[in-house]
Amino acid sequence: ALVNIFILTNPSMARPRQITDEQILQTMRECVLQHGPAVSLDRVADLLKVTPPALIKRFGTRRDLMIAALRPPDGDEWLKELKKGPDNRSLQLQLEELMAKISEFFTEAMPCASALRESATAEPDATVWALHISATSRHVHLITNDITKLPPHWMTTHSWY
């Protein structure tokens, strides 16, 4: 049978993607957190109803897919809040809100950092990031506990810096 050369060379005729990169990353993240960093790509692919080679084609290597899936989110909400600085509300309220956002970030990031650190595929930068997340999380926990112990007058007379 003859193959139409136009179809083979025209990228617009390629089969449309059925799943997004974010769906792949989310599924990989969930599988790693549930089954550990050694989870097979077969399991991830089965959940997405694709083949393991399709995952590799999209991300290059299993290692690259895992690092992309476990990487912290861009544009941390708590960092945006911190950069804005204080507003007219009570400083205690603002600090409590900020600490809640920081706590939420680390609650999501810590399991990913731990899995990345345990992974044999982690590159040195990823391992350093995982260790940094872990240490920072411990500091945030200590700070959060200390905020409620500050005297009320301190909260009204001090700014972020």
Side-chain angles (χ1 to χ4, degrees):
L2 292 174
V3 177
N4 186 334
I5 195 71
F6 175 76
I7 292 173
L8 291 177
T9 60
N10 188 346
S12 65
M13 297 297 290
R15 189 172 80 168
R17 289 184 173 178
Q18 300 296 315
I19 56 173
T20 66
D21 287 351
E22 187 51 43
Q23 288 171 307
I24 294 171
L25 295 174
Q26 180 65 32
T27 302
M28 180 69 172
R29 186 177 312 113
E30 290 170 0
C31 285
V32 168
L33 295 178
Q34 184 175 12
H35 303 287
V39 67
S40 74
L41 282 184
D42 289 330
R43 180 182 293 262
V44 177
D46 286 347
L47 290 170
L48 293 165
K49 300 188 183 347
V50 298
T51 64
L55 298 175
I56 298 300
K57 183 176 181 184
R58 198 80 75 89
F59 288 91
T61 66
R62 182 186 191 290
R63 179 180 150 277
D64 291 342
L65 172 56
M66 182 171 301
I67 290 171
L70 299 175
R71 174 173 291 143
D74 292 332
D76 309 319
E77 285 299 313
W78 67 270
L79 195 53
K80 291 176 188 174
E81 285 294 317
L82 184 62
K83 287 180 180 178
K84 283 194 311 191
D87 57 31
N88 294 331
R89 298 174 298 142
S90 82
L91 188 57
Q92 181 170 356
L93 175 64
Q94 293 177 69
L95 286 172
E96 287 171 355
E97 288 175 358
L98 179 62
M99 289 300 129
K101 288 179 182 179
I102 291 172
S103 178
E104 181 181 322
F105 169 80
F106 283 110
T107 298
E108 293 176 21
M110 281 303 299
C112 292
S114 295
L116 192 57
R117 189 176 57 213
E118 291 172 21
S119 169
T121 62
E123 60 189 15
D125 288 345
T127 303
V128 169
W129 168 80
L131 293 171
H132 176 71
I133 290 287
S134 179
T136 306
S137 176
R138 285 192 295 274
H139 289 119
V140 168
H141 178 72
L142 294 172
I143 292 168
T144 303
N145 289 336
D146 288 343
I147 285 178
T148 57
K149 298 174 188 167
L150 293 172
H153 71 277
W154 189 92
M155 292 296 183
T156 58
T157 59
H158 290 78
S159 68
W160 289 143
Y161 308 104

